[in-house]
Amino acid sequence: MQIKAIRFRENGFAAQPFAFGGEEGPQAFDPKVRYRSGLTNYLIDTGKEVILVDTGLPAGTPEEVPDENTPIYTGRDICSYMEAFAALGYRPEQVTKILVTHKHIDHTGELRSFPNARIYVNAAECGAAEFKGLDNIVPVEFTDGAYHEFPESQIIADGIRYIKATGHTNGNSLVVAEDDGLFYMIHGDITYVDEALYANKLSVVYEDIKAARGTLDRVRAFVSKHPTVYLSTHTPQGPENLDAKRIVDLTNPPETIPPGEVTFRTATGKYVCSVCGFVYDPAVGDPDNGIAPGTAFEDLPDDWRCPRCRQPKSKFNKA
């Protein structure tokens, strides 16, 4: 088995109130403290199958334009997700299965680019807009019983489990692949940065805070008992852990590397939801919710919310 990183954005940041403030509130943390951010998904080559865990942002998604108050900035494009996938030496038709951690567009953006893949989705989330029109969805009911600390799981292939891990969304899941005595835990947004795993903190983005706490507790219990390589989406720590086969040791947090210098650029007038990746384009507006074309983001009503994930305006970044 080989696990490979598909990296497509880098040199971003997540502010501590965003990454840590889910339970105590963001006001309890220092907005000047920032952690490295980016975007990475993963590929599992079993020798018999090519399996993806999530499929990045759709091609053409604009980069965000951060400022000093931005809670999370996913960074600059290295390339598109599909270009990063191709750089690993694979073709889309080789992919047999896609395991979706959750519905947000930065995890589902290129599902339609893999014609032969069966797309595994927590059954609770199959009705989400991101999956509409797809006839290769496999609703997962997690019928294969408990897997160590996790009560519900589904066997995907030898050594690969798809695990119910709700909280961030009500259909959130994670993946564990066992290989050569190690457990590779591939997740979407259980945490946004590894520092939050070690500090036992939830981010401010969740649909069910109680479930999110239960999931993080189970993750921490699992990594305490099993040699686990923790593979995150929103931090370069994920691919770094993979390259080094670095095992989580909750009693010995890794040194935090500060993010690099951020280039502040000219905004386009578009805004990107930092949670789900929805792009608000003033030229289009939001007609389904009574917002006419030509409406600037700044002129949206204070109670306007992201049409996809229902987050408030404060969760949007300039593009």
Side-chain angles (χ1 to χ4, degrees), residues 16-142:
Q16 190 182 67
F18 176 90
F20 281 26
E23 291 175 307
E24 295 96 327
Q27 69 282 351
F29 299 95
D30 187 350
K32 295 181 181 179
V33 176
R34 292 176 174 173
Y35 306 105
R36 292 181 298 154
S37 183
L39 283 174
T40 305
N41 293 151
Y42 298 91
L43 178 152
I44 306 171
D45 186 337
T46 70
K48 297 179 180 179
E49 294 190 90
V50 177
I51 300 172
L52 300 180
V53 183
D54 292 341
T55 60
L57 286 165
T61 300
E63 295 178 5
E64 301 146 315
V65 178
D67 60 30
E68 293 299 329
N69 298 314
T70 298
I72 183 170
Y73 166 53
T74 57
R76 300 289 299 275
D77 288 337
I78 303 170
C79 58
S80 71
Y81 172 85
M82 292 304 296
E83 288 169 338
F85 166 82
L88 295 179
Y90 296 92
R91 302 183 309 278
E93 58 269 21
Q94 291 178 273
V95 175
T96 55
K97 295 171 182 172
I98 300 172
L99 311 180
V100 176
T101 63
H102 63 287
K103 61 189 177 183
H104 292 157
I105 199 68
D106 52 338
H107 300 262
T108 59
E110 291 288 355
L111 289 178
R112 289 167 174 78
S113 296
F114 299 94
N116 299 329
R118 303 180 77 199
I119 302 170
Y120 289 74
V121 179
N122 184 328
E125 205 150 78
C126 285
E130 289 81 1
F131 307 120
K132 286 183 178 178
L134 291 168
D135 59 7
N136 51 345
I137 296 290
V138 179
V140 177
E141 299 284 357
F142 304 98

Side-chain angles (χ1 to χ4, degrees), residues 161-199:
R161 292 266 185 161
Y162 187 60
I163 296 167
K164 191 173 185 179
T166 56
H168 176 69
T169 70
N170 291 324
N172 207 71
S173 308
L174 59 81
V175 176
V176 173
E178 299 181 35
D179 185 54
D180 197 24
L182 296 178
F183 296 79
Y184 294 85
M185 180 177 286
I186 308 172
H187 71 96
D189 304 340
I190 304 298
T191 58
Y192 278 82
V193 296
D194 285 14
E195 285 87 353
L197 172 70
Y198 285 84

Side-chain angles (χ1 to χ4, degrees), residues 1-3 44-46 99 146-150 153-163 175-186 222 226-229 231 245:
M1 181 186 296
Q2 297 182 69
I3 301 174
I44 306 171
D45 186 337
T46 70
L99 311 180
Y147 176 76
H148 300 290
E149 284 64 39
F150 298 98
S153 74
Q154 194 80 34
I155 297 172
I156 299 299
D158 288 345
I160 301 174
R161 292 266 185 161
Y162 187 60
I163 296 167
V175 176
V176 173
E178 299 181 35
D179 185 54
D180 197 24
L182 296 178
F183 296 79
Y184 294 85
M185 180 177 286
I186 308 172
F222 182 94
H226 311 284
T228 303
V229 181
L231 303 182
K245 294 186 177 180

